[in-house]
C-alpha cells in the first residue's frame, strides 16, 4: 500500500524542527507520512522559506478568524496529522478535542519538568539552569486541552554542562534531542494511523 498520512506542520519561527522533518522525509526516516502543508501564524517566519525551498505548499493565517480558517485549510488539504513545530499560539480546546491523538507537539524539556503555561522558548532553558538540573532534554507528546499535558510519545535526555548559558543549552537540546525525536515520533504515529486504517478495511 502506498498510502501515506497527510501531514501539516504548524510553525511560527525559524523552523529548524520543520527542517529536521523535511530531512527525515528525504532520508526515509519519515516514510509513513508526507508533509503536504506548512501553516504559519507569522508571515515573517523563516520556516516559510524552508517550505518554499522544498516545494511544500504553505499558508499564512493571521489572528483574525484563526480557528475557522485553520479548519477550512486542513479540510482542503485533507490533513490527517498536525505537527506543532515551534508554533507559538495555543489551539482552542474544542479544536484539539476534534483532533484527538492527531496533534503532536515538541517541547524542549523533559516533561513534567519546566512545562505548562509560560514555559516556552529560551525561558525553558533559563529555568532549567536556575534550578541547577544536571539533565534536561526534549519531549514529544500528543496535544490535549492542558498545555504540555497530553500523552508522552518520546523523550530524549541531554546533559547540562557547568558553563552552560541558556542559549548554549537550547542549541544542544535542539541538536541532540528535538531534531532526532520529532521525526521519529511523527513516523511512529503515522505508522499507527496507517495500521488503524488498514484494520478498519
Ligand atoms: C523549539 O525549541 C521547540 O521545542 C519549541 O520552539 C522551538 C522552535 O524552534 N516548541 P524552530 O522554529 O523549530 O527552530
Amino acid at each position: 500500500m502506498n498510502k501515506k498520512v497527510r501531514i501539516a506542520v504548524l510553525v511560527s519561527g525559524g523552523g529548524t524542527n520543520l527542517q529536521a522533518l523535511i530531512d527525515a522525509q528525504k532520508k526515509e526516516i519519515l516514510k509513513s507520512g508526507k508533509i503536504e502543508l506548512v501553516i504559519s501564524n507569522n508571515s515573517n517566519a523563516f520556516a516559510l522559506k524552508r517550505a518554499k525551498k522544498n516545494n511544500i505548499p504553505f499558508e499564512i493565517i493571521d489572528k483574525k478568524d484563526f480557528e475557522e480558517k485553520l479548519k477550512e485549510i486542513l479540510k482542503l488539504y485533507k490533513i490527517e496529522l498536525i505537527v506543532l513545530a515551534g508554533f507559538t499560539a495555543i489551539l482552542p480546546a474544542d479544536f484539539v478535542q476534534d483532533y484527538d491523538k492527531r496533534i503532536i507537539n515538541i517541547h524542549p524539556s523533559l516533561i513534567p519538568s519546566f512545562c505548562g503555561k509560560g514555559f516556552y522558548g529560551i525561558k525553558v532553558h533559563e529555568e532549567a539552569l536556575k534550578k541547577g538540573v544536571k539533565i534536561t532534554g526534549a519531549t514529544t507528546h500528543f496535544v490535549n486541552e492542558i498545555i504540555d499535558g497530553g500523552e508522552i510519545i518520546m523523550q530524549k535526555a541531554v546533559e547540562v554542562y557547568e558553563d552552560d548559558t541558556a542559549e548554549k543549552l537550547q542549541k544542544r537540546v535542539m541538536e541532540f534531542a528535538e531534531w532526532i525525536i520529532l521525526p521519529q515520533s511523527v513516523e511512529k504515529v503515522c505508522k499507527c494511523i496507517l495500521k488503524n486504517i488498514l484494520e478498519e478495511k
Side-chain angles (χ1 to χ4, degrees):
M1 191 175 89
N2 290 327
K3 159 84 184 146
K4 287 186 189 238
V5 174
R6 298 178 65 83
I7 303 168
V9 184
L10 271 60
V11 296
S12 302
T16 60
N17 279 289
L18 168 66
Q19 190 64 52
L21 289 167
I22 295 170
D23 295 346
Q25 198 168 274
K26 286 181 187 158
K27 289 187 202 146
E28 296 194 344
I29 291 166
L30 172 55
K31 54 177 189 290
S32 304
K34 186 166 178 251
I35 307 165
E36 300 285 355
L37 177 66
V38 170
I39 298 175
S40 179
N41 57 350
N42 168 17
S43 58
N44 294 318
F46 187 75
L48 293 174
K49 293 206 167 66
R50 299 183 194 266
K52 204 170 175 187
K53 194 172 171 208
N54 288 279
N55 298 314
I56 303 168
F58 61 88
E59 301 273 354
I60 299 154
I61 313 181
D62 56 26
K63 260 192 176 161
K64 203 174 153 271
D65 306 324
F66 182 84
E67 192 183 346
E68 205 178 298
K69 285 192 183 139
L70 179 64
K71 280 183 182 167
E72 216 176 275
I73 290 170
L74 293 174
K75 223 179 187 175
L76 189 69
Y77 283 85
K78 300 189 175 68
I79 296 303
E80 299 166 298
L81 180 69
I82 299 167
V83 181
L84 309 183
F87 183 66
T88 51
I90 307 283
L91 296 170
D94 61 329
F95 176 87
V96 163
Q97 280 154 11
D98 286 349
Y99 280 88
D100 184 36
K101 296 264 171 72
R102 295 293 180 110
I103 313 176
I104 299 175
N105 183 44
I106 176 95
H107 183 76
S109 77
L110 295 174
I111 290 176
S113 290
F114 313 113
C115 65
K117 199 164 184 276
F119 283 95
Y120 60 87
I122 197 75
K123 172 96 178 151
V124 177
H125 306 288
E126 283 167 358
E127 292 300 317
L129 288 182
K130 235 189 247 168
K131 187 68 195 174
V133 293
K134 304 301 173 208
I135 296 282
T136 184
T139 305
T140 53
H141 63 91
F142 286 114
V143 173
N144 66 8
E145 53 288 346
I146 302 158
I147 300 176
D148 300 327
E151 187 187 319
I152 290 173
I153 304 166
M154 280 187 186
Q155 292 190 301
K156 194 165 191 297
V158 168
E159 213 177 319
V160 181
Y161 299 152
E162 291 271 306
D163 64 343
D164 263 342
T165 59
E167 287 74 17
K168 277 194 202 169
L169 186 56
Q170 180 181 46
K171 220 173 146 234
R172 191 175 322 115
V173 168
M174 280 182 153
E175 190 178 343
F176 294 102
E178 295 186 42
W179 301 342
I180 298 165
I181 63 168
L182 184 61
Q184 287 178 350
S185 302
V186 173
E187 172 61 18
K188 189 178 173 190
V189 172
C190 286
K191 241 186 183 167
C192 221
I193 294 174
L194 287 184
K195 193 170 164 260
N196 289 342
I197 292 175
L198 265 181
E199 281 169 5
E200 274 166 21
K201 278 190 178 167

